Amino acid sequence: MSDRSRSGSNGAPAASNTIAFDAYGVAIKIDVSDPSLLVDVRAVLPPGARETKDTEDTECGTRFVLTADGDVHQDGKPLATRQDRRVQMVVLDAGIRSHVAMTSPDHVFVHAGAVAIDGRALLLPGISFAGKTTLVAALVRAGATYYSDEYAVLDHDGRVHPYPKPLSLRLGRDARQTETAVGELGGAAGSGPASVAAVVLTSYRPGGRWDPVRRSSAEGALLLLSHTVPARKRPAESLARVQRAAAGAVVLEGERGPAEAIVGDLLALLAPPA
């Protein structure tokens, strides 16, 4: 056995089988028992990930371990056992994203789609299957800059930062998710923070008619808070961030029909004030 594949004296994978990185201020290590896993692991690193040098004293917020048998462990707790590699990477991907969203020290993560035009952002909070990715994709095709279809990442001032993962579009009759790069939609990802100009809570309903109700900034903050990942763990900080994000923003709530039917109305919300 070569030195590159030999385990350390404590039974943990050797350093060459470890990826250490930082994303949004969260330090993570991933150990693999099979070096061939490294290519697939790097493919699921989250937006903003910066690989760092792995040393024994490197600060680490959490550690994932992957085995050649298809297991995934996070800090010693099993997340999956004996899965094929595709499922193994899906589990790892979800575990990393969830951990970063929950523990980022400098940002608050909100489950929301986000696009922007000229530094003015539109947030689309919502749960899975609410149609936010479809709406984000339609907005990007219409010329908006892509920020995320999963998380609106808020800084201390309530501005949203890019989290430009591939869009998870549900295609076909089985609604299977297909990861689609923003460039495939003819769009581009944002590169800096944007101020929130509008918050729109909407979900798709066949035959739905777009006739939204205007809400106050305070109601908008509560809408965002209900979709904020660390709201229970860091309630005061989460509330302060969403209040700053919603302050002065247009807040609308209502069901919709096809995404293309309301794109024009939503893009109009991002026009500079007269």
Side-chain angles (χ1 to χ4, degrees):
M1 180 180 293
S2 68
D3 288 341
R4 289 182 58 83
S5 60
R6 184 181 297 120
S7 294
S9 59
N10 61 357
S16 59
N17 289 358
T18 297
I19 293 176
F21 67 93
D22 176 278
Y24 296 92
V26 180
I28 294 175
K29 288 184 182 180
I30 303 172
D31 294 329
V32 300
S33 64
D34 180 354
S36 71
L37 289 165
L38 293 176
V39 172
D40 291 329
V41 168
R42 285 192 168 92
V44 300
L45 295 185
R50 298 177 297 104
E51 287 197 42
T52 56
K53 184 177 181 181
D54 176 41
T55 62
E56 285 300 318
D57 59 352
T58 298
E59 182 180 353
C60 176
T62 195
R63 182 185 296 269
F64 292 88
V65 175
L66 278 65
T67 71
D69 295 327
D71 297 351
V72 181
H73 293 259
Q74 181 179 357
D75 296 329
K77 298 179 180 179
L79 301 182
T81 56
R82 296 192 176 278
Q83 299 294 327
D84 63 40
R85 186 168 294 194
R86 183 189 67 83
V87 173
Q88 187 182 29
M89 292 304 151
V90 169
V91 171
L92 174 65
D93 185 16
I96 292 172
R97 290 185 190 179
S98 177
H99 181 71
V100 170
M102 180 63 73
T103 63
S104 175
D106 301 318
H107 298 87
V108 165
F109 283 58
V110 179
H111 279 295
V115 299
I117 292 180
D118 296 331
R120 292 170 55 80
L122 164 67
L123 303 189
L124 301 164
I127 59 175
S128 297
F129 292 97
K132 63 179 182 295
T133 296
T134 302
L135 189 49
V136 166
L139 288 161
V140 169
R141 291 189 184 102
T145 300
Y146 177 59
Y147 271 59
S148 184
D149 74 334
E150 183 176 20
Y151 293 127
V153 181
L154 303 180
D155 65 18
H156 183 271
D157 297 318
R159 300 177 302 170
V160 60
H161 289 247
Y163 189 88
K165 58 172 286 294
L167 289 86
S168 299
L169 292 171
R170 300 183 188 276
L171 305 175
R173 293 184 178 179
D174 60 357
R176 178 174 295 181
Q177 284 190 348
T178 300
E179 299 299 293
T180 305
V182 66
E184 296 180 45
L185 303 178
S191 59
S195 299
V196 178
V199 176
V200 176
L201 182 69
T202 184
S203 59
Y204 171 72
R205 184 179 70 82
R209 178 173 172 268
W210 177 239
D211 186 21
V213 175
R214 182 78 176 256
R215 302 297 188 190
S216 67
S217 294
E219 289 173 314
L222 292 178
L223 287 174
L224 291 175
L225 187 66
S226 68
H227 294 282
T228 297
V229 178
R232 292 185 177 182
K233 183 177 180 181
R234 295 145 55 196
E237 180 186 5
S238 296
L239 178 60
R241 299 288 181 98
V242 298
Q243 285 177 327
R244 294 185 188 113
V250 174
V251 182
L252 301 177
E253 182 178 9
E255 67 180 24
R256 66 171 178 83
E260 291 74 16
I262 69 168
V263 162
D265 289 345
L266 297 187
L267 291 179
L269 298 175
L270 300 182

